[in-house]
Amino acid sequence: MDEDRSLVDRARAGDTQAFETLVRRYQRWVFTLALRMLGDRAEAEDMAQEILLKAYRGLGRFKGASRFSTWLYSIASHHCLNSLQARRRRPASSSGGAMRSQDTAEEDPPTAVDRLANGTPRADAMLERAELARVVQAELRNLTADHRLILILRDIQGLSYEQIAETLRLELGTVRSRLHRARMEMKARLTPYLKSE
């Protein structure tokens, strides 16, 4: 994206409004990734701010070999994975954290499932979709961090296989096989919830 490149160059030269434009362009994407990876709205908001701050401080190291968006996605992906790794190393706290994650899942922004219907759905259909979205988010949290990340990048964020490979520094074949395994695992997890016609 030439427009991103121009904004990056201006931001490096001290134009804070140029970086603010980049933030407005990508903050929703960064927040959604953090929310889907971490499962907690407040933690995702903090994480998104940390990621964007890290990108701002790292602009001098951005070589321009890839697009700015790919570089930012890489920072965001690795930051989320590192946070999950640190979370696993911390001693388990009270069950309040788990409850808070489930409570905030209902406040998540609309998912692909929520956007399927055209027009105004009936109340029972809205409740069913909300329940399905809650289940999908809960089961997404049960995937390994690597599977969760690749599924979010491809199926929720819409990145191409090539963009994912560049972002995660993986071979294209690894992206395809990891995504296939993640989808199969997610399908197996969701199958009990789906109604058989």
Side-chain angles (χ1 to χ4, degrees):
M1 293 183 181
D2 293 333
E3 193 175 337
D4 281 357
R5 183 64 190 187
S6 170
L7 289 168
V8 168
D9 290 342
R10 287 174 36 209
R12 282 174 151 168
D15 183 347
T16 55
Q17 284 192 325
F19 190 75
E20 287 174 15
T21 301
L22 289 168
V23 167
R24 281 193 301 278
R25 186 172 290 167
Y26 293 105
Q27 68 185 355
R28 182 82 177 149
W29 188 96
V30 169
F31 170 74
T32 301
L33 174 67
L35 180 62
R36 297 292 176 216
M37 287 298 291
L38 305 174
D40 180 88
R41 179 172 290 282
E43 192 175 355
E45 287 171 354
D46 291 343
M47 177 72 65
Q49 288 181 2
E50 288 175 25
I51 291 164
L52 292 168
L53 182 60
K54 188 172 185 174
Y56 180 73
R57 290 179 175 159
L59 274 178
R61 293 185 302 276
F62 175 60
K63 305 288 185 226
S66 64
R67 293 184 310 201
F68 173 78
S69 59
T70 302
W71 180 71
L72 181 61
Y73 298 165
S74 181
I75 291 171
S77 298
H78 289 91
H79 207 66
C80 288
L81 288 172
N82 290 341
S83 177
L84 289 172
Q85 207 170 34
R87 184 189 286 177
R88 282 195 304 268
R89 286 192 299 258
R90 280 190 297 241
S93 61
S94 69
S95 61
M99 288 297 293
R100 194 178 68 191
S101 292
Q102 287 178 355
D103 292 343
T104 59
E106 293 176 19
E107 301 170 3
D108 290 350
T111 63
V113 173
D114 295 327
R115 295 188 300 263
L116 284 177
N118 289 330
T120 306
R122 296 185 339 243
D124 61 336
M126 288 173 57
L127 287 172
E128 190 174 308
R129 266 202 326 271
E131 176 62 15
L132 181 57
R134 187 193 64 72
V135 167
V136 168
Q137 180 61 34
E139 291 303 332
L140 190 60
R141 276 188 236 128
N142 289 326
L143 298 177
T144 65
D146 287 338
H147 281 178
R148 184 180 336 158
L149 178 60
I150 208 155
L151 204 59
I152 291 168
L153 290 175
R154 177 68 185 142
D155 293 341
I156 295 175
Q157 305 292 54
L159 269 65
S160 70
Y161 291 103
E162 292 78 11
Q163 288 173 311
I164 296 169
E166 189 175 354
T167 297
L168 300 180
R169 297 180 199 112
L170 296 172
E171 295 293 325
L172 197 55
T174 303
V175 169
R176 290 181 190 282
S177 63
R178 194 175 286 177
L179 181 61
H180 176 73
R181 286 193 304 271
R183 284 175 173 164
M184 290 299 100
E185 183 181 350
M186 192 65 171
K187 181 180 177 182
R189 289 180 174 282
L190 292 177
T191 297
Y193 297 101
L194 300 176
K195 294 178 182 174
S196 56
E197 296 296 319

